[in-house]
Amino acid sequence: MSLPSDIEKKILKELLSKGGSYVSSAYLASIAGVSRMTVSRIVRSLIGKGYPILVDKKRGYMLTIDRDLALLHEKAWKIGGRTFRFHYLEKCSSTQDIAIGMAQAGVQEYTVIVAEEQLRGRGRRGRMWVSPQGGLWFSIILRNYAVKDLTIMNLVMGLSVIYGIKSLYGLEVGMKWPNDIMISNKKIGGVLIEGSIEGNEVKYVVAGIGINVNNDIPNELKDKASSLKEILGYRQPRSPLLKSILENFVVFEDIIKSGNKKQIVSMAKKVMFTLNKNVTVETPKGYVFGMAYDLDENGGLVIMSNDKKDKYIIYVGDIIHLSEDDIVK
Ligand code: BT5
């Protein structure tokens, strides 16, 4: 997805600032210095990008920020030859639980469960994921993956989120290995990959994504977490972000399904904040100290011990906690 043009930005800014009320087409035309026909064309293009804009012949245009995800319920988007079908829930325990139940019941791939609020949102190893109203919390059911590709799925989803945010807002976004989405050293989102393997076959993968958009960050997380609202300075509809993430995801999924893991790893290295940092990793076998300097071909973090005698490769499942020390210059 390309960044919006200047005229598009002007119209969008006006609709965002008057979110929830109608803005007349004549007013938008005068603000942007274009004809009403052009306004109508630009609004149609914004709707195509996932912006929840209601059109009323008499009153003009209204962007709905809070109800945008609800509008997706039982709707579908065709992106990159796939059909993503949405189930929206006002409140649920965790979209992962719902998606896993549906995947086990045979529901088709690319079904997306999206919730306004999760009561028991979770991260890795049963950690709590704070998910109040206003955030983007969703899980996608995926199928037809090879077992060998699973270790890299957190990178595939992480890249989809990073490029989804970058291409929509032009922000600098990075990843803290293995699954944290970071802007200026604060966590704004996370990825959780779960699935089921029987024998040599992947029955399903459920990719869960949580992004702080308009939700408030609780005090206890404020020093290490932030939201797009805090960073951009205003509230955003979430459906364009969801669309942008899915548009990027289909590109990365095509790459992984064509067997080109190397390309995923090399793209992930470019956005990985953790590389060239001194790290401490807590694993079930004990602590590992050293410099994280590379990703291996399966997405594992390669660490050189401080005395340069030992090399460790750590995978997502091995890690309990990773902390970064000072940046090594
Ligand atoms: C993650 O776990 O970062 C994966 C988060 C995945 C959440 C999505 S939402 C949709 C789907 N449904 C679910 O139930 N989950 C997925 P992890 O690396 O284990 O990080 C968890 C840690 O992040 C916590 O221990 C907190 O320190 C911190 N944290 C919790 N909530 C946060 C939030 N909203 N924003 C930033 N950090 C948070």
Side-chain angles (χ1 to χ4, degrees):
M1 188 195 276
S2 54
L3 284 171
S5 69
D6 282 348
I7 299 174
E8 202 173 284
K9 271 191 207 152
K10 274 188 195 161
I11 290 179
L12 190 54
K13 195 171 162 219
E14 211 51 44
L15 288 169
L16 277 169
S17 70
K18 307 239 166 44
S21 328
Y22 276 98
V23 187
S24 77
S25 142
Y27 178 72
L28 289 175
S30 71
I31 289 280
V34 293
S35 69
R36 290 172 62 177
M37 282 269 282
T38 307
V39 170
S40 153
R41 185 174 51 75
I42 287 177
V43 168
R44 275 203 309 275
S45 134
L46 287 169
I47 292 172
K49 289 180 181 176
Y51 283 92
I53 301 171
L54 305 178
V55 183
D56 181 289
K57 276 202 178 114
K58 286 202 182 113
R59 290 180 290 178
Y61 306 102
M62 176 168 80
L63 197 144
T64 63
I65 294 187
D66 297 319
R67 300 296 300 157
D68 63 333
L69 295 179
L71 295 175
L72 293 176
H73 187 55
E74 303 298 338
K75 299 253 164 56
W77 283 339
K78 284 202 186 321
I79 305 174
R82 289 94 163 152
T83 303
F84 291 91
R85 286 173 217 285
F86 297 97
H87 290 278
Y88 167 83
L89 298 159
E90 206 67 61
K91 217 177 248 189
C92 68
S93 55
S94 152
T95 55
Q96 289 294 100
D97 297 342
I98 312 273
I100 288 171
M102 289 172 90
Q104 283 168 346
V107 167
Q108 65 212 98
E109 61 183 337
Y110 307 122
T111 298
V112 181
I113 314 302
V114 55
E116 188 61 51
E117 183 182 354
Q118 298 185 113
L119 301 173
R120 280 191 298 282
R122 60 171 192 265
R124 290 174 302 123
R125 296 182 172 266
R127 279 193 284 257
M128 167 94 170
W129 182 258
V130 179
S131 338
Q133 286 179 13
L136 180 56
W137 327 121
F138 67 101
S139 301
I140 316 176
I141 298 174
L142 300 170
R143 297 190 188 275
N144 302 312
Y145 274 85
V147 175
K148 65 179 173 41
D149 293 333
L150 293 182
T151 59
I152 218 161
M153 281 311 287
N154 61 309
L155 298 184
V156 169
M157 295 319 298
L159 283 167
S160 309
V161 174
I162 286 172
Y163 282 93
I165 295 175
K166 268 184 189 227
S167 51
L168 198 57
Y169 307 116
L171 292 169
E172 261 321 300
V173 199
M175 203 186 305
K176 180 180 155 195
W177 192 88
N179 64 335
D180 293 351
I181 310 298
M182 311 288 293
I183 297 185
S184 319
N185 250 348
K186 294 227 171 154
K187 181 163 174 172
I188 59 132
V191 168
L192 178 66
I193 307 293
E194 295 177 308
S196 167
I197 302 175
E198 273 174 32
N200 264 340
E201 200 191 333
V202 177
K203 287 278 168 202
Y204 60 83
V205 175
V206 169
I209 292 171
I211 304 174
N212 299 317
V213 184
N214 302 321
N215 54 298
D216 291 329
I217 305 294
N219 282 339
E220 62 275 18
L221 288 177
K222 275 206 165 124
D223 56 335
K224 55 178 185 176
S226 187
S227 66
L228 290 174
K229 177 182 72 174
E230 273 177 10
I231 291 159
L232 293 165
Y234 41 88
R235 294 160 75 245
Q236 289 291 325
R238 293 154 294 175
S239 47
L241 178 57
L242 177 56
K243 192 157 206 189
S244 184
I245 292 170
L246 296 178
E247 281 171 347
N248 281 283
F249 167 70
V250 298
V251 175
F252 293 116
E253 188 181 56
D254 282 345
I255 297 175
I256 189 87
K257 288 209 168 164
S258 69
N260 201 347
K261 260 190 191 179
K262 259 192 181 159
Q263 196 180 338
I264 298 285
V265 173
S266 86
M267 291 193 77
K269 282 185 197 175
K270 292 190 186 133
V271 294
M272 193 60 70
F273 285 179
T274 315
L275 296 184
N276 301 319
K277 302 251 174 86
N278 270 329
V279 295
T280 304
V281 189
E282 189 183 356
T283 75
K285 291 183 197 145
Y287 283 93
V288 173
F289 305 95
M291 150 102 71
Y293 71 96
D294 201 8
L295 296 179
D296 82 342
E297 69 276 16
N298 295 310
L301 187 67
V302 189
I303 299 171
M304 181 62 77
S305 65
N306 290 337
D307 59 11
K308 300 213 167 21
K309 285 191 179 144
D310 298 301
K311 193 171 108 174
Y312 305 94
I313 303 179
I314 316 263
Y315 292 100
V316 186
D318 299 335
I319 166 185
I320 297 175
H321 185 72
L322 177 144
S323 61
E324 289 165 8
D325 308 337
D326 302 326
I327 296 172
V328 178
K329 300 208 169 72

